[in-house]
Amino acid sequence: KYYPASESTLDAVLDWYGVRRVFVGHTIFRNVKAFYGRKGIDVNVSNQENKDKGRSRAVLLEDGRTFVVGDNGIIKELRTAEE
């Protein structure tokens, strides 16, 4: 598991900007990952290796919910690392 900041540090950043969550790019993971109750979301950015292996992902925000869309078009609700 990768936790780049503590939850209290993340909470301070969220409070500073007056937001409920933050999306972080340029972090290479196999999948989109959510941390600390979906307050932090690491997005797997486009890169050639993931594209070649069919692991590209997109994030869909709809009706207050967060989903991950895979290369095959399958949509799944984003779960946290803790779930």
Side-chain angles (χ1 to χ4, degrees):
K1 293 182 181 179
Y2 178 67
Y3 294 93
S6 69
E7 187 170 11
S8 62
T9 298
L10 179 58
D11 287 338
V13 170
L14 296 176
D15 287 344
W16 175 264
Y17 288 102
V19 297
R20 293 179 301 158
R21 75 182 92 149
V22 64
F23 290 82
V24 180
H26 302 285
T27 305
I28 305 300
F29 284 102
R30 288 183 61 105
N31 290 301
V32 174
K33 297 208 183 264
F35 298 99
Y36 305 130
R38 294 183 187 85
K39 292 186 278 185
I41 300 175
D42 288 322
V43 179
N44 186 3
V45 298
S46 177
N47 64 65
Q48 194 62 48
E49 179 182 352
N50 284 330
K51 183 176 179 183
D52 292 345
K53 292 182 178 182
R55 294 190 314 227
S56 296
R57 302 288 184 262
V59 175
L60 171 65
L61 304 174
E62 188 172 80
D63 297 325
R65 296 167 61 196
T66 306
F67 300 90
V68 177
V69 183
D71 285 347
N72 55 8
I74 294 175
I75 300 172
K76 295 182 180 180
E77 189 155 11
L78 179 64
R79 303 189 66 84
T80 65
E82 296 88 5
E83 294 177 305

